[in-house]
Amino acid sequence: MTLIYELMDETMDFGYPQNCAVDVLRLYINLGNIRPQDEPDSKLTSQITGAIDWRREGIRHKKNEVYIDVLESVNLLLSTTGNILRNEVTGQVQMNTKLTGMPECKFGLNDKLVIERESNQSRKPGIEIDDCTFHRCVRLGKFDADRTITFIPPDGEFELMRYRVTDNINLPFRIIPAVQEEHGQTKLSINLKVHAKFSEKLFATHVVIKMPVPKNTAKAKIKNSFGRARYEPEQQAIVWRIKRFPGKYECMMAADVDLMPTVRNKTWSRPPINVEFQVPMFTASGVHVRFLRVFDKSGYHTNRWVRYITKAGGYQIRI
């Protein structure tokens, strides 16, 4: 309870948020029994009231490194005729910085507005990025003026930004279902074709395709060319699992489903097919990191690593 009282006292001032930086709160909230000796009062005051309270001075690392993860979720809803009802990508840029001192970073994506302003015809066309939200370390005035992302990063892991893209999305999978009810609603015939549209140099992992079946399903005879598929009654679906799906590859699944007779002939609602997957080093939106420049007084060398991962958000196909 003492910790909660201290947190409320330091983070709120007359009901208004005052200081919510976790790293700064750790420096001087100590349950009232230990006084921090490693941080003078002057430094604490400057961090609490200063403009850069998310990073303390005097940080040193043997190796100066920056890890960047671009994580995207694809949201898709296809109609029974194959028309796109919903199609968008939500993404986030996660960073892990291990930098000495108080460096200033300049970060660039293939943003359409920036590339058009540079007017270099040899460059590829940019991506129209919508709904950007940033970590509070980013200088929003600079971004509003010229779409430049500049910031003094926190030490360690943090989320730099979130974004959304709704145009020119590269769907990683194309799924074509064919469902036919036979013999007076006592049998169901299912055919499913899955085609990976990304490069043959890449592969998807943890692919799970859930093909729904009626509640009165008795058994299912399944044939598939790749992976493992079986009827799972608790999910009311045939679940097809593929550990590793190569790019530009196509596979099929066929199932004959036997249905138990029911007293009432209730029409099957036909829920949509749900798909789960992860595709490393692929972005459905086409967003990629153009550069990350690190500026520091000492001029040290910085190692940079970038990783891309695209996964399924709500990836559904109506049948």
Side-chain angles (χ1 to χ4, degrees), residues 15-27:
Y16 293 96
Q18 176 179 324
N19 178 27
C20 298
V22 176
D23 293 337
V24 177
L25 291 171
R26 283 174 179 164
L27 294 175

Side-chain angles (χ1 to χ4, degrees), residues 182 186-192 211 213 217-225 228-232 237-239 252-259:
E182 303 172 353
T186 60
K187 285 187 177 292
L188 197 67
S189 176
I190 297 172
N191 286 282
L192 203 61
M211 176 69 207
V213 293
T217 296
K219 62 179 181 178
K221 186 179 180 182
I222 305 167
K223 293 181 180 179
N224 54 290
S225 59
R228 298 180 65 182
R230 66 174 185 174
Y231 167 55
E232 297 187 6
I238 294 172
V239 181
M252 302 279 294
M253 191 265 288
D256 293 321
V257 180
D258 292 334
L259 306 178

Side-chain angles (χ1 to χ4, degrees), residues 264-303:
R264 297 180 180 178
N265 292 328
K266 189 176 180 180
T267 305
W268 181 36
S269 61
R270 294 198 175 203
I273 299 169
N274 280 281
V275 186
E276 302 170 12
F277 56 81
Q278 277 193 2
V279 188
M281 303 310 294
F282 171 82
T283 56
S285 66
V287 167
H288 69 261
V289 177
R290 293 172 59 207
F291 60 83
L292 173 69
R293 302 188 182 109
V294 179
F295 304 96
D296 187 76
K297 294 178 181 178
S298 61
Y300 53 72
H301 174 72
T302 305
N303 295 318

Side-chain angles (χ1 to χ4, degrees), residues 22-293:
V22 176
D23 293 337
V24 177
L25 291 171
R26 283 174 179 164
L27 294 175
Y28 61 93
I29 291 183
N30 45 64
L31 296 180
N33 53 8
I34 301 174
R35 181 173 176 79
Q37 300 296 328
D38 57 339
E39 290 287 339
D41 291 340
S42 59
K43 282 192 176 183
L44 287 176
T45 304
S46 65
Q47 282 192 293
I48 297 166
T49 60
I52 309 173
D53 62 348
W54 55 85
R55 186 182 182 91
R56 60 184 175 85
E57 295 183 2
I59 296 174
R60 297 190 64 82
H61 291 281
K62 290 183 179 179
K63 292 183 179 181
N64 295 288
E65 302 171 320
V66 179
Y67 299 88
I68 304 170
D69 286 344
V70 180
L71 311 175
E72 291 194 342
S73 294
V74 188
N75 301 300
L76 171 72
L77 179 60
L78 282 182
S79 70
T80 53
T81 57
N83 295 323
I84 295 175
L85 304 178
R86 182 192 178 199
N87 189 17
E88 68 172 15
V89 171
T90 56
Q92 58 189 95
V93 179
Q94 295 275 0
M95 297 187 73
N96 186 0
T97 60
K98 299 178 181 180
L99 300 173
T100 299
M102 297 287 283
E104 180 172 297
C105 298
K106 189 173 182 181
F107 181 74
L109 298 171
N110 56 333
D111 188 347
K112 183 179 180 180
L113 295 179
V114 176
I115 291 177
E116 286 180 350
R117 189 178 65 249
E118 292 176 354
S119 65
N120 188 341
Q121 295 185 4
S122 64
R123 291 185 180 274
K124 294 181 180 180
I127 304 300
E128 194 168 334
I129 301 174
D130 304 320
D131 300 339
C132 294
T133 58
F134 296 99
H135 188 275
R136 58 199 181 95
C137 68
V138 176
R139 294 173 181 170
L140 296 180
K142 188 76 173 168
F143 180 78
D144 291 338
D146 56 11
R147 302 283 287 192
T148 302
I149 303 172
T150 56
F151 56 97
I152 296 176
D155 189 49
E157 297 182 6
F158 69 101
E159 182 183 284
L160 177 67
M161 65 178 290
R162 287 177 178 262
Y163 62 88
R164 187 168 67 96
V165 176
T166 56
D167 292 330
N168 300 319
I169 293 172
N170 302 312
L171 295 175
F173 287 100
R174 185 185 180 203
I175 297 176
I176 304 172
V179 181
Q180 186 175 1
E181 297 183 34
E182 303 172 353
H183 302 293
Q185 298 182 346
T186 60
K187 285 187 177 292
L188 197 67
S189 176
I190 297 172
N191 286 282
L192 203 61
K193 181 189 290 185
V194 182
H195 177 66
K197 299 177 69 176
F198 46 88
S199 169
E200 64 273 5
K201 297 179 181 179
L202 305 177
F203 59 89
T205 61
H206 307 296
V207 179
V208 180
I209 302 169
K210 297 179 181 179
M211 176 69 207
V213 293
K215 292 181 179 180
N216 60 325
T217 296
K219 62 179 181 178
K221 186 179 180 182
I222 305 167
K223 293 181 180 179
N224 54 290
S225 59
F226 201 50
R228 298 180 65 182
R230 66 174 185 174
Y231 167 55
E232 297 187 6
E234 65 276 8
Q235 300 202 43
Q236 296 179 12
I238 294 172
V239 181
W240 188 7
R241 292 181 171 87
I242 303 170
K243 290 184 179 180
R244 185 183 173 103
F245 202 121
K248 300 299 182 183
Y249 191 78
E250 185 176 281
C251 57
M252 302 279 294
M253 191 265 288
D256 293 321
V257 180
D258 292 334
L259 306 178
M260 293 182 291
T262 56
V263 177
R264 297 180 180 178
N265 292 328
K266 189 176 180 180
T267 305
W268 181 36
S269 61
R270 294 198 175 203
I273 299 169
N274 280 281
V275 186
E276 302 170 12
F277 56 81
Q278 277 193 2
V279 188
M281 303 310 294
F282 171 82
T283 56
S285 66
V287 167
H288 69 261
V289 177
R290 293 172 59 207
F291 60 83
L292 173 69
R293 302 188 182 109

